[in-house]
Amino acid sequence: LQEESMHINRALALRSLAAIAATGGVVGQMASAASGGFQRLPSIQFIAASIDPTSTDSKQSSGASAADWGIWRVDPGPRGVRLGAFKQLEAAGGVARAGWRFDPKDWWLEEHGLIMEAPDFPLPPGRYMVTGGREVTTVLSVKPDYSWALEGGASLYDVTHLPCRSARYTPAADSGGLAGVGLPAAAKPADFPVTPGAAMPAVPGTNKRDYSVIFVTAIER
C-alpha cells in the first residue's frame, strides 16, 4: 500500500502540471513554443540539475555547471525499488524488475526513499521548455560548452518541482568496507518521505549530492 501511495502521489503531481496547463499558463507558453520551433513531448521528461534546491545557488538564472546535469526520459519513480527490497535487488545481481542496473558506487534515491536508476548523462546541449509545475514556464538553453541560461529572468528555483527530490550517493573514502555501509541498506526509512523543498537525508558511509528536478515539456526541433 505504501508503494501504491507513492505512485499515486507522483501521478497527482504530474496531473497538477496538466491542471496548470488547463488554466492557460503552460498552454500559452506551449503555443509560443510550437511557433518557435519546439516539439511538445508526449510525456514529461525530468532534468536532474546538480544544484541543491535548498541552497542560494538555486537562485541563479545562468551558470556553467550543466556538464554534470542529466535527464530522465522516462519517469524513474514507478521504476524504483523500495529501500526494504534492497536485499532482493542485490540477490538479482543489481538488476531491477524494470530492467535498469544498480551501481553500488553511484546510486540515487528519491523523496519517498525509492532507489532510482541514474539519469542519462550528460544533458544534451539544446533548448528545453521547462517548468516546476508552479507559476513559471520558460526556456532553458544549454550550449555546447555546457553553459546554461534560463530566459525571462527566471531562476533555477522557479522551474524546480519542489515535491520531487533526488540525491546522488557515492561511497565515502572512510566507509571502512563494512557490510551495508555506503549502500541503501544504511538509509533510515524513517527519514522518508522528504518534506517538499527540504534536503535529502544523509546516508552513513556516503557522500551525498542533492539535485534539483525540473520538468521538461518540449524540446527545440
Side-chain angles (χ1 to χ4, degrees):
L1 289 177
Q2 182 182 18
E3 185 172 9
E4 181 180 357
S5 176
M6 294 174 188
H7 295 164
I8 289 172
N9 288 341
R10 184 176 291 272
L12 288 173
L14 296 180
R15 278 201 288 270
S16 72
L17 178 60
I20 292 170
T23 66
V26 176
V27 167
Q29 292 285 351
M30 290 304 303
S32 176
S35 64
F38 281 75
Q39 181 174 358
R40 185 169 186 173
L41 296 171
S43 59
I44 293 171
Q45 297 183 10
F46 308 84
I47 290 174
S50 59
I51 295 178
D52 184 345
T54 68
S55 72
T56 56
D57 288 343
S58 69
K59 303 301 183 182
Q60 297 176 354
S61 295
S62 61
S65 62
D68 55 1
W69 293 15
I71 186 168
W72 286 286
R73 294 181 173 87
V74 177
D75 185 355
R79 296 162 55 86
V81 176
R82 291 178 294 108
L83 285 173
F86 179 61
K87 287 185 178 180
Q88 292 94 310
L89 179 62
E90 285 187 304
V95 179
R97 289 184 180 180
W100 58 270
R101 183 177 292 276
F102 173 77
D103 182 352
K105 295 183 179 180
D106 188 355
W107 50 275
W108 293 69
L109 286 177
E110 56 94 78
E111 69 274 10
H112 294 104
L114 289 174
I115 306 163
M116 294 192 298
E117 61 196 291
D120 295 328
F121 287 102
L123 174 67
R127 300 179 76 228
Y128 302 84
M129 184 67 64
V130 296
T131 182
R134 290 176 284 147
E135 298 178 353
V136 176
T137 297
T138 190
V139 173
L140 167 67
S141 297
V142 179
K143 295 184 178 180
D145 64 358
Y146 292 104
S147 60
W148 63 273
L150 290 162
E151 295 184 0
S155 69
L156 193 72
Y157 182 86
D158 293 332
V159 295
T160 294
H161 186 64
L162 298 179
C164 287
R165 294 307 325 278
S166 66
R168 186 179 191 176
Y169 298 84
T170 55
D174 59 352
S175 59
L178 298 176
V181 175
L183 294 172
K188 299 177 182 177
D191 288 339
F192 301 93
V194 175
T195 302
M200 287 288 287
V203 175
T206 69
N207 297 310
K208 177 187 67 114
R209 187 168 192 180
D210 282 81
Y211 277 69
S212 297
V213 178
I214 302 167
F215 290 164
V216 182
T217 58
I219 299 177
E220 188 175 51
R221 297 185 184 93

